[in-house]
Amino acid sequence: MAQQELEIGQTADFTKTVTEADVVLFAGITGDLNPAHVDQVWADASRFGGRIAHGMLSASFISTVLAMKMPGPGTIYLSQNLRFTGPVKIGDTVTARVEVAEVMPKRRVRLLTTVTRHDGTQVIDGEAVVIAP
Amino acid sequence: MAQQELEIGQTADFTKTVTEADVVLFAGITGDLNPAHVDQVWADASRFGGRIAHGMLSASFISTVLAMKMPGPGTIYLSQNLRFTGPVKIGDTVTARVEVAEVMPKRRVRLLTTVTRHDGTQVIDGEAVVIAP
Amino acid sequence: MAQQELEIGQTADFTKTVTEADVVLFAGITGDLNPAHVDQVWADASRFGGRIAHGMLSASFISTVLAMKMPGPGTIYLSQNLRFTGPVKIGDTVTARVEVAEVMPKRRVRLLTTVTRHDGTQVIDGEAVVIAP
Amino acid sequence: MAQQELEIGQTADFTKTVTEADVVLFAGITGDLNPAHVDQVWADASRFGGRIAHGMLSASFISTVLAMKMPGPGTIYLSQNLRFTGPVKIGDTVTARVEVAEVMPKRRVRLLTTVTRHDGTQVIDGEAVVIAP
């Protein structure tokens, strides 16, 4: 969407189940083989009681909403602030949601960005600034 | 490393060439099929003159340094702020670097985080707060 | 590590859970679609009672320790002998371990190399010769 | 093939081009992110003058021939000795070949195993012992 079609309070979202294959591939692409992600024995004994997904994997679903839905294809990412507030385990279904917070000069848009587990627990909050297409 | 081994100014880094395979897999895992990443014809005509990698892919290499090098395995991510300051094209070699900025109570550590292309151009800057192992 | 930092008896290791995704991807990369790895019906009726990982996948974790930990980045692989002494099932967590056995002229190092399941069963033993960085 | 169908001197082979995607995925599965494989700038300055494939990736094609062709599906791997005699660069086409060297009691078979680049340079030699199906 062009910037003039965006109004404060508009939302868009994307939902995905985080599978073991996602975590294996994400570890491979990034080189982040933290035992919390790739060593089930270590992870079972950790504070999370099992393997968790990379925080940046869940955060990436925010980028997916921005690029695919609102503002949509052609969006340019300027900044993203992230607070990681809970873990995502393999098998969890999460929803990334963005909400227009401010429409600024030069096609800039500020959005509130969250990722939430299916049980309602927020796992990421923060905000993004983008250039609308 | 435990928090008491960390000193302000200490750095660690990770370098990787961002390949087409990385971008294809990242698009598949995240669902972010922005034409800037997956449509070469569209991308060639865009302001970047070619396909670029997802900003969150480059950002994820920061997580790799935190988890694999400093503070290392067992690190828990609390927050990450990101400013995207330049594009990464397919084939670019990038270096993610973290530098200890503050050692805080309760094993918290604040780090300056950057990602830089091999030609010296900074593509991401920002900062992270983690719990050291 | 440079060769002069290595002493007989020094060890390093790497632990990873072998997931179904790992086996599927390894089969795809190598073309080894042995029914023991990709045909659950066949594998359930086999002597192993289920799908097993490729022996060379478990063996590759030895290369990971050599390249990432000891001697570390820049190591050149000269030879590797492998005896496969037990199966690794999908879901098993395995540890590859290397131990310096001999420090030789011309930066050569000989290492004992094993892969062990979490239950303590050795699945690979053998030895490697490398050129230290 | 059953063991009684195997004769000394029989051969089988498998040929594959080693692509960048193969190397990226192999690095991810194994955790071996040696800069020789994933950092083009480092690799260009190394003795090999470019990124090379993991030695164990090329070695795995031997397993492919054993499992898919001779002796074929159901083969059990007992041992594999490997000498790495040359590098494989991304884009090289390699052929893994096995040749029956000895037919032994209890369905054991010993085979000579090589991997050769398309230009004729041998990159791996060694031998395997397997149980025929």
Side-chain angles (χ1 to χ4, degrees):
Chain A
M1 303 167 187
Q3 193 201 38
Q4 57 270 30
E5 302 172 69
L6 296 173
E7 285 178 25
I8 292 173
Q10 267 184 297
T11 66
D13 55 51
F14 172 67
T15 297
K16 186 173 191 285
T17 302
V18 177
T19 68
E20 185 177 62
D22 291 318
V23 172
V24 167
L25 287 167
F26 193 87
I29 296 169
T30 61
D32 182 350
L33 290 103
N34 193 323
H37 312 309
V38 305
D39 179 345
Q40 187 162 354
V41 174
W42 190 97
D44 285 349
S46 75
R47 70 158 70 182
F48 299 123
R51 276 178 298 162
I52 60 171
H54 302 75
M56 292 300 270
L57 171 54
S58 298
S60 297
F61 300 140
I62 297 169
S63 167
T64 302
V65 185
L66 297 171
M68 302 300 284
K69 301 203 172 167
M70 187 177 80
T75 295
I76 293 169
Y77 225 158
L78 292 183
S79 68
Q80 176 71 59
N81 291 353
L82 301 163
R83 268 195 334 125
F84 300 101
T85 57
V88 172
K89 290 202 183 175
I90 289 175
D92 280 349
T93 298
V94 298
T95 297
R97 176 181 299 262
V98 309
E99 179 183 334
V100 177
E102 187 181 359
V103 179
M104 297 184 287
K106 291 186 178 170
R107 293 177 20 228
R108 263 68 173 169
V109 183
R110 189 168 59 85
L111 305 106
L112 306 180
T113 58
T114 59
V115 182
T116 307
R117 287 205 310 253
H118 186 62
D119 65 8
T121 308
Q122 192 177 80
V123 296
I124 295 178
D125 76 337
E127 62 176 57
V129 177
V130 303
I131 307 181
Chain B
M1 309 170 183
Q3 193 202 37
Q4 57 270 28
E5 301 172 69
L6 296 173
E7 285 176 26
I8 292 173
Q10 265 184 296
T11 65
D13 56 52
F14 172 67
T15 297
K16 185 172 192 284
T17 301
V18 177
T19 69
E20 184 178 58
D22 291 313
V23 172
V24 168
L25 290 167
F26 193 87
I29 294 169
T30 61
D32 181 349
L33 291 103
N34 193 324
H37 312 309
V38 303
D39 180 345
Q40 187 161 354
V41 174
W42 189 98
D44 285 349
S46 75
R47 69 157 71 181
F48 299 123
R51 277 179 297 160
I52 59 171
H54 301 76
M56 292 299 270
L57 171 53
S58 297
S60 297
F61 299 140
I62 297 169
S63 167
T64 301
V65 185
L66 296 171
M68 302 301 283
K69 300 206 171 165
M70 186 177 80
T75 294
I76 293 170
Y77 224 159
L78 293 182
S79 68
Q80 176 72 56
N81 291 353
L82 300 163
R83 267 195 335 125
F84 300 101
T85 57
V88 172
K89 290 202 184 176
I90 289 175
D92 280 348
T93 299
V94 298
T95 298
R97 176 180 299 263
V98 308
E99 178 182 335
V100 177
E102 185 181 359
V103 179
M104 298 185 284
K106 292 186 176 170
R107 292 175 24 226
R108 263 66 173 172
V109 183
R110 188 167 61 83
L111 305 107
L112 306 180
T113 58
T114 58
V115 182
T116 306
R117 288 203 309 252
H118 183 61
D119 65 9
T121 309
Q122 191 177 81
V123 295
I124 294 178
D125 76 337
E127 63 176 55
V129 178
V130 303
I131 307 182
Chain C
M1 302 169 188
Q3 193 201 37
Q4 58 270 29
E5 301 172 69
L6 297 173
E7 286 176 24
I8 292 172
Q10 266 185 296
T11 65
D13 56 51
F14 173 67
T15 298
K16 185 171 191 284
T17 301
V18 177
T19 69
E20 184 178 59
D22 292 313
V23 172
V24 168
L25 289 167
F26 193 86
I29 294 169
T30 61
D32 181 350
L33 291 102
N34 194 323
H37 312 309
V38 303
D39 180 346
Q40 186 162 355
V41 174
W42 189 97
D44 285 348
S46 75
R47 69 157 70 179
F48 299 122
R51 275 179 299 162
I52 60 171
H54 302 75
M56 293 299 271
L57 171 54
S58 297
S60 297
F61 299 140
I62 297 169
S63 167
T64 302
V65 185
L66 296 171
M68 301 302 283
K69 299 204 172 166
M70 187 178 81
T75 295
I76 293 170
Y77 225 158
L78 293 182
S79 68
Q80 176 72 58
N81 292 352
L82 301 163
R83 268 196 331 127
F84 300 102
T85 57
V88 172
K89 290 203 184 177
I90 289 174
D92 280 349
T93 299
V94 298
T95 298
R97 177 180 298 263
V98 309
E99 179 183 335
V100 176
E102 186 181 357
V103 178
M104 298 184 286
K106 292 186 178 170
R107 292 175 25 228
R108 263 67 173 170
V109 183
R110 189 168 59 84
L111 305 107
L112 306 180
T113 59
T114 58
V115 182
T116 307
R117 287 203 311 252
H118 184 61
D119 65 9
T121 308
Q122 192 178 76
V123 295
I124 295 178
D125 75 338
E127 62 175 55
V129 177
V130 303
I131 306 181
Chain D
M1 301 168 193
Q3 193 203 33
Q4 58 270 29
E5 302 173 69
L6 296 173
E7 285 176 23
I8 291 172
Q10 266 185 296
T11 65
D13 56 52
F14 172 68
T15 297
K16 185 172 191 286
T17 301
V18 177
T19 69
E20 185 176 62
D22 291 317
V23 171
V24 168
L25 288 167
F26 193 86
I29 295 168
T30 61
D32 181 350
L33 289 104
N34 194 324
H37 312 309
V38 305
D39 179 345
Q40 186 163 354
V41 174
W42 190 96
D44 284 349
S46 75
R47 70 158 70 181
F48 299 122
R51 277 177 297 161
I52 59 171
H54 302 75
M56 292 300 269
L57 171 53
S58 298
S60 298
F61 300 140
I62 296 169
S63 168
T64 302
V65 185
L66 297 171
M68 303 300 284
K69 300 205 172 165
M70 187 177 79
T75 295
I76 293 170
Y77 225 158
L78 292 182
S79 69
Q80 176 72 58
N81 291 354
L82 300 163
R83 269 196 332 126
F84 300 101
T85 56
V88 173
K89 290 203 183 176
I90 289 174
D92 280 349
T93 298
V94 298
T95 298
R97 176 180 299 262
V98 309
E99 178 183 334
V100 177
E102 186 180 359
V103 179
M104 298 184 285
K106 291 187 178 171
R107 291 174 26 224
R108 262 68 172 171
V109 183
R110 189 167 60 83
L111 305 108
L112 306 180
T113 58
T114 58
V115 182
T116 307
R117 288 204 310 252
H118 186 61
D119 65 7
T121 309
Q122 193 178 78
V123 295
I124 295 178
D125 76 337
E127 62 176 56
V129 178
V130 302
I131 306 181

